[in-house]
Amino acid sequence: MKLYKKICFLLALLISLAATKMKAQNIEQTNQGVKFSAQDLDITIEFYSNNIVRVYKTSKGFSYNKKSLSVVKSPETTSVKFDQKDNLVVLKSTSIKIEINPKTGGITFYDISGKLLLKDKDYGTQFSLLDDAGTPSYTVREGFLLDKEEAIYGVGQIMDNKFNRRNSSHHMQNENMSTYSPYFMSVKGYGVFWDNYSISDFNDNPQELSFEGIGHCSDYYFMYGENADGVISQVRNLTGKAPMLPLWAYGFFQSKERYHTQDESLNVLKKYRELKVPLDVVIQDWRYWPEDKKTDSLWNSQSFDKERFPNPKKWVDEIHKLNAKLLIVTWPGFGPKTEQRKEFDSKKMILNFDTWPPNSGARPYDVFNPEALNIYWHYLNKGIFSYIGNDGWWLDSTEPDHINKKESDYLLPTHLGTYRSVKNAYSMMHNKGIATNQRITDDNKRVVILTRSGFIGQQLYGSNSWSGDVASTWEMLEKQIPAALNYTLMGIPNWNSDIGGFFAGRWKNGGGNQNPEFQELYVRWMQFGVFCPMMRSHGTDLPREIWNFGDRGSWCFDAQEKAINLRYKLLPYIYGTSWDVSHNNGTFMRPLVMDFAADTKTHDMGNEYLFGHSILVSPVTQYKARTWPVYLPKGGDWYNFWTNEYYKGGQTITTDAAVDKVPLYIKAGAIIPFGPEVQFSTEKKWNNLEIRIYPGADGEFFLYEDENDNYNYEKGMYTTIKFKWNNTAKTLTIEDREGHFSGMIKTRKFKIVIADRNQATADLPAKPIKIISYNGKKTFVKL
């Protein structure tokens, strides 16, 4: 007992001495971090978890209570060890070690083994006084040091055809086709989110990486995940998980600018059904509301023109009877004669600058005011959602569009400060208001939002961002791929683009839809769209419905139909991937560096990717290309999807790229379920699925099912069936079904097909090797 007391006394003395030493260096130890002052800055470092650290800096003596728009996580109880090393203070969790220089303010991040990850520079943070429209503020700059050859990703959706963001500079101002967040992810397995919503600048050069923007603090989160999946998991942990979208949201969408009447869009749907080409969603673009053609003063009134949409409730009911869904557009700006605008004006909730359309007097509302979000929903719900029962929203112009720009516009007040100080979060807040209010109004229908901009945190609101009003060119198709991959590496999983490109006027005088080059561009873009989270045809200048390109039997019609049918056959795989995205913080569009970081050739490769964990996609982006180079990354072996030919990884091959085939390679060890041929996503149950196995490595896949379009899955009402392939034993194990939900399939058949890597065929074998009856109990299949 005496020895025990002596040990306790010595430990207490050591702790007291350490605390005294820290205090002498003006370091205050907190429960999960430290506070100190250096270089005229007050700095707080706090562990939010073992893998997330918040670094918060203000000008010395300036107290500012930052309330994040993106971060939803509160600090969790984390055991932090405090130590000192020479003149440095050392903090450790189970995953991260931090060394702090209390004199210079330098902060260095390591993994727990001591591997250097990132340096927050000595003397690297700057606060410069700024008069922000009469409010004292700062231009804030945060600088970091990276390894010379370190690849980084994220920053935003940038149309420059580059993937690795090293040695680049970007003015981060969210606009049509340009979507930014002050975030980067490193190939070393960490990410940084600088929590700032202002119009900002990102710059990386050999001397440093920096963010610079407007604010009262420098506030960033360092997230360590070991690899890209781990970083994305931490981003979602910090800023919100991505909810499940309904099954129908993974079907094919048809849209145009615009369907003028309710009968026009209904007839489009009817013709798809007559042709037996699958379709799940039609979208209604602008000006369904009463029109004032001279002034557009009724812009976005969220009501229906009585002549062109005489019975909108019946219109939507007819769409539903044809087993399809409706998305309808709504904008953030309102014409001066709308009821919404009058109320927003009376409550000083309008941003007084010109938005789309030009010369209309339309103005955007203040999304940063919580009351304004509720008012917006009140009109949207009354005029549309509860009135007609639409299934989702197209939120256009969510940057928002800014017509006749003046510098003074950026100094206009919002509920949270000047417009320039919060602009980049506009889309996220607009999405938030609609998503949260819809769930309050009707929690039995999953929120589906198509939106033109984004910001980290927006994934929480059922949003799918599209790339904006891109031009209908081969160059722009090529740029979509790395732009999408960097966007999804920010932790926002849902992305798509206008199939064929939005502006197609360049093709009008050359035959329009019958122009062979435009037809091929459209087909190649559609093949890319098959392997995006949303597959959506849209554009202006030329109609995009399949029959406008020719009749069945013509190459262009048949190639489109082949692509659409492939999308529907893959729905069990896609929906299982959607569950992985929601449940496990997974990613749909996976740049090769995510799964093959050890292969340095993948670090700069943004022109191909994995869709889910198993399907390598290499979209064709050149006219008349009939062969295509595909890099098969080292660390896996690969099957040509169309022929079953087997290849070792770590090589570039030239593959057949016939006009009706997108180059696809399946990773050895993959298990891919294929669904039935259908005209819409829920036409047939998945009680007779084909299970394709690609030998060469062990693998697994979870078949996920639920009630398709409600939030009961959040209450545990879903099932998973785990398929596990043992390559050495050549056995497939189908595990016990886990979970339950109303209407689930209790008995079913699985047709087991195994890819023959020694025999190239025109397609996978038509006849299954085995047909298995499955009633939810564990089953072994020897192949």
Side-chain angles (χ1 to χ4, degrees), residues 123-137:
Y123 314 108
T125 307
Q126 300 173 18
F127 282 73
S128 302
L129 284 171
L130 174 72
D131 182 346
D132 193 20
T135 299
S137 188

Side-chain angles (χ1 to χ4, degrees), residues 401-429:
D401 277 307
H402 195 160
I403 310 297
N404 305 317
K405 293 180 183 179
K406 303 186 293 292
E407 285 302 314
S408 58
D409 292 346
Y410 295 101
L411 301 179
L412 291 170
T414 76
H415 184 71
L416 294 180
T418 60
Y419 180 55
R420 67 180 180 180
S421 71
V422 290
K423 173 181 167 49
N424 284 348
Y426 194 101
S427 178
M428 178 178 66
M429 298 306 292

Side-chain angles (χ1 to χ4, degrees), residues 370-410:
E371 184 184 352
L373 295 179
N374 292 335
I375 292 171
Y376 189 99
W377 175 255
H378 167 75
Y379 286 101
L380 190 63
N381 180 48
K382 180 180 69 172
I384 300 179
F385 186 66
S386 290
Y387 174 35
I388 66 171
N390 60 300
D391 304 284
W393 306 104
W394 180 5
L395 305 186
D396 208 342
S397 184
T398 54
E399 303 86 13
D401 277 307
H402 195 160
I403 310 297
N404 305 317
K405 293 180 183 179
K406 303 186 293 292
E407 285 302 314
S408 58
D409 292 346
Y410 295 101

Side-chain angles (χ1 to χ4, degrees), residues 443-463:
D443 201 34
N444 290 315
K445 180 181 288 190
R446 293 182 199 170
V447 174
V448 177
I449 291 175
L450 172 63
T451 186
R452 201 175 72 180
S453 189
F455 196 83
I456 285 179
Q458 190 166 294
Q459 72 278 356
L460 184 59
Y461 305 117
S463 302

Side-chain angles (χ1 to χ4, degrees), residues 22 54 117 154 201 229 256 260 303 338 418 473 491 556 569 678 764 772:
M22 282 188 180
R54 183 187 187 189
L117 299 174
D201 289 289
D229 277 303
K256 69 181 290 186
H260 291 78
S303 61
T338 61
T418 60
T473 66
C556 191
K569 293 283 284 184
V678 293
L764 286 169
I772 303 300

Side-chain angles (χ1 to χ4, degrees), residues 49 51-52 72-73 76 183 185 223-225 227-244 457 459-460 487-494 575-591 594-595 612-613 713 718:
S49 69
N51 294 76
I52 301 175
V72 297
K73 182 179 179 62
E76 60 187 71
Y183 161 92
M185 171 196 289
M223 298 163 284
Y224 183 57
N227 53 41
D229 277 303
V231 175
I232 287 174
S233 183
Q234 297 308 323
V235 172
R236 305 251 184 90
N237 184 16
L238 182 70
T239 64
K241 283 181 156 302
M244 288 284 294
Q459 72 278 356
L460 184 59
Y487 188 74
T488 60
L489 284 176
M490 297 196 303
I492 311 175
N494 297 315
Y575 206 47
T577 302
S578 176
W579 175 74
D580 179 60
V581 167
S582 180
H583 188 75
N584 300 316
N585 296 317
T587 302
F588 278 109
M589 301 176 75
R590 302 176 60 83
M594 289 190 73
D595 295 273
H613 288 278
Y713 76 91
Y718 64 86

Side-chain angles (χ1 to χ4, degrees), residues 505-631:
R506 71 194 65 228
W507 305 105
K508 268 188 170 183
N509 295 328
N513 294 79
Q514 303 309 307
N515 181 301
E517 186 174 356
F518 177 67
Q519 288 186 333
E520 189 166 325
L521 174 63
Y522 186 78
V523 165
R524 291 305 194 187
W525 211 311
M526 177 169 280
Q527 291 168 351
F528 171 52
V530 172
F531 298 97
C532 293
M534 180 182 285
M535 183 183 182
R536 182 183 58 89
S537 169
H538 179 70
T540 191
D541 300 314
L542 294 173
R544 310 301 171 90
E545 297 83 9
I546 189 171
W547 53 84
N548 291 294
F549 295 86
D551 297 326
R552 182 176 274 117
S554 64
W555 76 266
C556 191
F557 185 108
D558 291 352
Q560 290 181 59
E561 186 176 29
K562 182 175 184 176
I564 295 168
N565 280 326
L566 177 58
R567 174 75 172 199
Y568 278 84
K569 293 283 284 184
L570 286 170
L571 280 181
Y573 175 81
I574 294 170
Y575 206 47
T577 302
S578 176
W579 175 74
D580 179 60
V581 167
S582 180
H583 188 75
N584 300 316
N585 296 317
T587 302
F588 278 109
M589 301 176 75
R590 302 176 60 83
L592 299 185
V593 72
M594 289 190 73
D595 295 273
F596 305 98
D599 182 348
T600 56
K601 289 184 178 180
T602 69
H603 292 189
D604 294 305
M605 190 167 290
N607 63 339
E608 48 184 83
Y609 59 97
L610 291 185
F611 186 63
H613 288 278
S614 301
I615 303 176
L616 188 153
V617 187
S618 185
V620 176
T621 57
Q622 293 179 11
Y623 183 40
K624 292 186 177 179
R626 297 297 180 264
T627 60
W628 196 249
V630 178
Y631 181 69

Side-chain angles (χ1 to χ4, degrees), residues 288-465:
Y288 53 84
W289 47 78
E291 290 190 88
D292 178 351
K293 294 181 180 179
K294 290 184 178 180
T295 65
D296 269 318
S297 61
L298 293 173
W299 180 264
N300 194 37
S301 65
Q302 299 166 339
S303 61
F304 294 91
D305 181 271
K306 292 181 179 179
E307 291 185 8
R308 295 177 295 111
F309 293 83
N311 194 336
K313 180 68 171 68
K314 182 181 178 183
W315 169 52
V316 178
D317 289 345
E318 290 295 322
I319 290 172
H320 290 163
K321 286 177 184 177
L322 289 166
N323 298 295
K325 307 294 182 183
L326 174 72
L327 262 62
I328 191 165
V329 79
T330 183
W331 291 61
F334 295 97
K337 292 184 179 180
T338 61
E339 293 303 312
Q340 296 91 326
R341 173 67 174 279
K342 292 173 184 176
E343 181 167 358
F344 283 134
D345 273 334
S346 71
K347 295 180 177 178
K348 296 183 173 20
M349 296 176 181
I350 282 290
L351 304 183
N352 195 26
F353 63 78
D354 294 333
T355 190
W356 190 268
N359 306 314
S360 65
R363 302 282 188 272
Y365 79 114
D366 183 0
V367 298
F368 304 102
N369 188 319
E371 184 184 352
L373 295 179
N374 292 335
I375 292 171
Y376 189 99
W377 175 255
H378 167 75
Y379 286 101
L380 190 63
N381 180 48
K382 180 180 69 172
I384 300 179
F385 186 66
S386 290
Y387 174 35
I388 66 171
N390 60 300
D391 304 284
W393 306 104
W394 180 5
L395 305 186
D396 208 342
S397 184
T398 54
E399 303 86 13
D401 277 307
H402 195 160
I403 310 297
N404 305 317
K405 293 180 183 179
K406 303 186 293 292
E407 285 302 314
S408 58
D409 292 346
Y410 295 101
L411 301 179
L412 291 170
T414 76
H415 184 71
L416 294 180
T418 60
Y419 180 55
R420 67 180 180 180
S421 71
V422 290
K423 173 181 167 49
N424 284 348
Y426 194 101
S427 178
M428 178 178 66
M429 298 306 292
H430 185 44
N431 279 248
K432 177 182 179 179
I434 291 170
T436 53
N437 276 299
Q438 180 181 316
R439 284 207 65 171
I440 292 169
T441 303
D442 183 359
D443 201 34
N444 290 315
K445 180 181 288 190
R446 293 182 199 170
V447 174
V448 177
I449 291 175
L450 172 63
T451 186
R452 201 175 72 180
S453 189
F455 196 83
I456 285 179
Q458 190 166 294
Q459 72 278 356
L460 184 59
Y461 305 117
S463 302
N464 193 309
S465 301

